Amino acid sequence: MSLLPFILFALLLLSSPPYSVTGKKHNHHQHDPQTPASDLVRTSCVHANYPNLCLRTLSTYAGPARTPRDLAQAAVNVSLARASRVSKFLSRTAKGSFGSKRQRSALGDCVEQISDSVEELSKTLSELQHLRWETFRWQMSNAQTWVSAALTNEDTCLEGFEELGMKMKSEVKRKITNVARVTSNALYMINRLDETRGS
């Protein structure tokens, strides 16, 4: 008879969620629950390829960033959002009258390359959102491959314009460069996540 309270107590413990009502994680998690998210962003961004840009974009990111996985997702989200905006902008520009036939061809190539980047970053984000312990290494390999391909497409887009000496407005060039830089930072965060094995 006296076992009933003990069983109920044990069931209560087993059914308690990993997060408290305040959203803080219990102490069994590797990341210190008392460490502010801003500290994680700062320590994570310090060795990124573009640390200041990393700090600026991730410290103002609206979503939670309490773990390396959160940060990797946030970095890919930032990259995807900016790539999508640039893709739409380039598509609109390509529809207008723009320079010589070679220049229009280069612009068309760039539209396709940035569009491919958007697709690759979308696949990466989906993979990061569905990480599983048993397939972690395979999923991380996919994410690294896709973000690397996105970065290559963005760099190729810029190089195409450089080689042709196109007189693009500095604003257009700045946008593509910015996308490439946040994508580079996203790749760094994914590599960092791989090293921490998703903690």
Side-chain angles (χ1 to χ4, degrees):
M1 294 287 187
S2 61
L3 282 176
L4 185 59
F6 175 79
I7 291 169
L8 290 173
F9 179 72
L11 286 173
L12 180 66
L13 284 178
L14 289 172
S15 63
S16 18
Y19 296 89
S20 67
V21 176
T22 60
K24 288 184 179 179
K25 298 185 180 181
H26 290 313
N27 290 336
H28 72 268
H29 197 280
Q30 276 190 321
H31 182 60
D32 182 357
Q34 302 304 318
T35 302
S38 59
D39 287 352
L40 179 63
V41 171
R42 189 166 56 253
T43 57
S44 300
C45 285
V46 70
H47 295 301
N49 289 335
Y50 302 95
N52 291 335
L53 181 62
C54 179
L55 261 175
R56 194 164 63 250
T57 55
L58 296 185
S59 62
T60 58
Y61 185 73
R66 296 188 181 94
T67 68
R69 179 178 175 176
D70 291 338
L71 279 183
Q73 287 187 41
V76 173
N77 255 316
V78 168
S79 182
L80 176 59
R82 295 190 183 196
S84 296
R85 285 199 299 269
V86 170
S87 180
K88 288 173 187 172
F89 177 81
L90 289 173
S91 294
R92 288 195 304 269
T93 305
K95 288 176 184 174
S97 175
F98 190 84
S100 69
K101 186 176 179 180
R102 283 188 69 200
Q103 290 172 333
R104 288 195 302 274
S105 174
L107 182 58
D109 288 345
C110 194
V111 167
E112 187 176 334
Q113 287 151 359
I114 299 299
S115 177
D116 287 346
S117 286
V118 169
E119 184 180 341
E120 286 148 358
L121 291 166
S122 295
K123 289 191 293 186
T124 302
L125 185 58
S126 178
E127 197 80 301
L128 292 177
Q129 289 169 338
H130 300 93
L131 286 176
R132 296 200 312 272
W133 181 260
E134 60 272 20
T135 54
F136 181 82
R137 288 295 178 203
W138 177 72
Q139 289 178 288
M140 291 308 299
S141 177
N142 286 342
Q144 288 160 339
T145 299
W146 290 328
V147 177
S148 294
L151 186 56
T152 298
N153 282 328
E154 292 153 12
D155 287 341
T156 302
C157 174
L158 278 172
E159 287 168 9
F161 286 122
E162 290 292 342
E163 288 168 8
L164 291 173
M166 294 180 73
K167 293 182 178 178
M168 290 182 66
K169 289 181 180 178
S170 60
E171 182 68 11
V172 177
K173 201 167 181 179
R174 185 189 65 79
K175 286 180 180 181
I176 298 170
T177 300
N178 182 270
V179 171
R181 287 178 177 175
V182 292
T183 303
S184 176
N185 283 344
L187 180 57
Y188 169 77
M189 288 298 173
I190 288 170
N191 289 337
R192 192 172 184 275
L193 174 62
D194 194 13
E195 291 166 7
T196 62
R197 197 156 174 82
S199 61

